[in-house]
Every structure is written in C-alpha cells, then in structure tokens.
Amino acid sequence: MIEATIDIKTKAGAMSTFTAAPGEGKYPPVILYMDAPGIREELRDFARRIAAQGYFVLLPDMYYRLGEIRFDMSKGADEFKRMFGAMGSLNNALVMDDTRGMLDYLATAPHAKAGPRGCIGYCMSGQYVVSAAGTFPDDFAASASLYGVGIVTDQPDSPHKLAAQIKGELYLGFAEKDTYVPDNVIPDLTAALDQHKVDYRLDIWPGTDHGFCFPQRPAYVEAAAEGVWKLVFEMFKRRL
C-alpha cells in the first residue's frame, strides 16, 4: 500500500490530507469525510481498509482552518466542548469549497482513475456526504452517510433539499437510538429522496447507538459495523 500526507489547495489555503492507494497505478477515488473527533489513526485505518478494496482514498483534515488540532476524548467535558466548537466551525458551503479542491486535485492525481468518484462520511459528515452528492452530481456516483447529523434542518442549505440534483446511488445507515438525529429526520429525508426518485437504501441498525461503526468507541457494534462495510463496498463495486 502507498500512503502519503499531502496538502490540497482550497479556497481557504492548504488542506492536509492523508492518502492511501493499493499500489502503483490508478484507482477509482473515494473521499472519506471524518467524524467530529477528527483525524486519528482509527480514521487512517478506515482509509487503508477502503484502499485495500481497490480505491484511492483521500482523508482530509477538515479542521485545517483552525490549524492542526487533535482531541483526546478521555479528557472529558472540556475536550468535548472543544470538539463541538471545532465541529461548529464548519458548514456546508465551506466543506463544498473543500470538496471542489479535492475534485480538482483528483483530476491530475497520479493514483486517481478518471471517472466516477465515491464518498463516505460519519457523524457530522453525514450531512456533507449528502451535500456533495447533490452539489457535484456528475462526480459522485456512490455516497455513504453513517449516522449522519444535520441532513435535515430548517435552514436554506439543508442537504435533503438537494435531493432533486442527486444522480448517483446513496446509502444511509442510522443507529436505532441516536440523540443527535431528531425523529423527523428519517421520514423527511425519505420523503425527499422518494419524491425525486433517488437511488438509495436506508437502514436503521437494530441495537445500535450513535458511533456504532468505530471499533475504539464504546458504542461499537461489530455485526452492524461489518454489515455497513459490506453494503458500502458492494455499492462502490457497482458504481465506481
């Protein structure tokens, strides 16, 4: 496997990005949008797992505007407060600017195959996956959002309002219990996707809470997490 950390040019500057490719050659690109705790080895391992399936993976440090920040969630309430502050520094417009920068980079990247792209995101980035699918419909053919927050809001930039623009396939996996996802989200989201005939699958994974995909989190549920990987990789194989 070939790994590197590079700077990708964006409207805001240089975005540090971990990359992973199976080896020499060109592969369908996949963008891995991080969850709120940010860049850590656990996420790099996710990038490596995706790359091992035959993809060129970008894992951007989405907090780059704040400098290089890392969190130690074992420190408790103050660290959670700092994390939520960083999470709040992002919005759909900023992340779509960053996504444009990544797509521009992929156009000439040595390990990136021309053609359709994929993306996957967790937690805070579930909304950005859906936004990317709707903002760049000719680029993203396969997009996966896991227990995503902020997908349905009452704001003008609510990602679900982009359903009419989505051309690719969309996978949405939610936890059975998730205090970060209000009760209206799933019905409102499915109504929008159905109305615009989006090709999607939505699962609510039994016996799970927010964060169930990450092995180093207390909420981890191996059967559900592996089930998600299976479905996502099947979608990537179909579409990329």
Side-chain angles (χ1 to χ4, degrees):
M1 186 165 296
I2 300 173
E3 300 178 9
T5 299
I6 63 170
D7 285 335
I8 290 179
K9 183 180 179 181
T10 72
K11 287 173 66 174
M15 179 170 64
S16 179
T17 303
F18 176 79
T19 70
E24 297 295 346
K26 293 180 179 289
Y27 306 91
V30 172
I31 296 173
L32 168 57
Y33 295 95
M34 69 193 199
D35 59 341
I39 299 300
R40 57 195 187 280
E41 197 63 19
E42 188 175 29
L43 279 177
R44 295 188 189 97
D45 284 343
F46 274 29
R48 295 177 183 115
R49 181 167 183 172
I50 297 168
Q53 295 292 316
Y55 303 99
F56 175 51
V57 184
L58 302 184
L59 170 61
D61 185 347
M62 297 166 65
Y63 294 147
Y64 73 99
R65 291 175 179 84
L66 306 176
E68 185 177 295
I69 58 173
R70 300 292 184 261
F71 301 106
D72 180 355
M73 306 318 295
S74 68
K75 291 183 178 179
D78 287 344
E79 197 75 342
F80 273 90
K81 183 177 180 180
R82 195 166 73 96
M83 180 194 75
F84 283 118
M87 178 179 169
S89 73
L90 296 175
N91 58 43
N92 282 293
L94 293 177
V95 177
M96 292 309 100
D97 284 346
D98 295 343
T99 300
R100 168 49 66 197
M102 287 187 280
L103 292 172
D104 289 345
Y105 164 76
L106 288 172
T108 58
H111 294 298
K113 183 178 179 180
R117 285 88 166 85
C119 63
I120 182 170
Y122 301 80
C123 176
M124 74 168 187
S125 285
Q127 62 189 308
Y128 303 132
V129 163
V130 177
S131 289
T135 304
F136 305 102
D138 294 323
D139 290 285
F140 291 105
S143 307
S145 165
L146 286 311
Y147 41 87
V149 304
I151 299 174
V152 175
T153 74
D154 59 1
Q155 298 302 305
D157 68 344
S158 180
H160 82 292
K161 295 179 179 179
L162 294 172
Q165 280 72 58
I166 296 175
K167 296 179 181 178
E169 185 174 348
L170 184 62
Y171 178 74
L172 301 138
F174 287 94
E176 183 178 29
K177 299 177 182 178
D178 195 333
T179 57
Y180 300 106
V181 178
D183 290 342
N184 69 294
V185 168
I186 291 175
D188 289 355
L189 176 58
T190 54
L193 297 174
D194 289 340
Q195 178 185 352
H196 296 290
K197 297 180 173 57
V198 176
D199 183 1
Y200 77 97
R201 172 171 174 163
L202 187 151
D203 292 318
I204 300 171
W205 289 87
T208 61
D209 293 280
H210 188 87
F212 71 85
C213 287
F214 285 97
Q216 296 177 24
R217 301 277 285 276
Y220 180 59
V221 178
E222 183 177 6
E226 290 301 315
V228 164
W229 281 121
K230 180 177 183 294
L231 291 170
V232 169
F233 287 145
E234 288 173 351
M235 178 177 67
F236 285 173
K237 187 176 181 179
R238 282 193 302 273
R239 294 288 189 161
L240 304 182

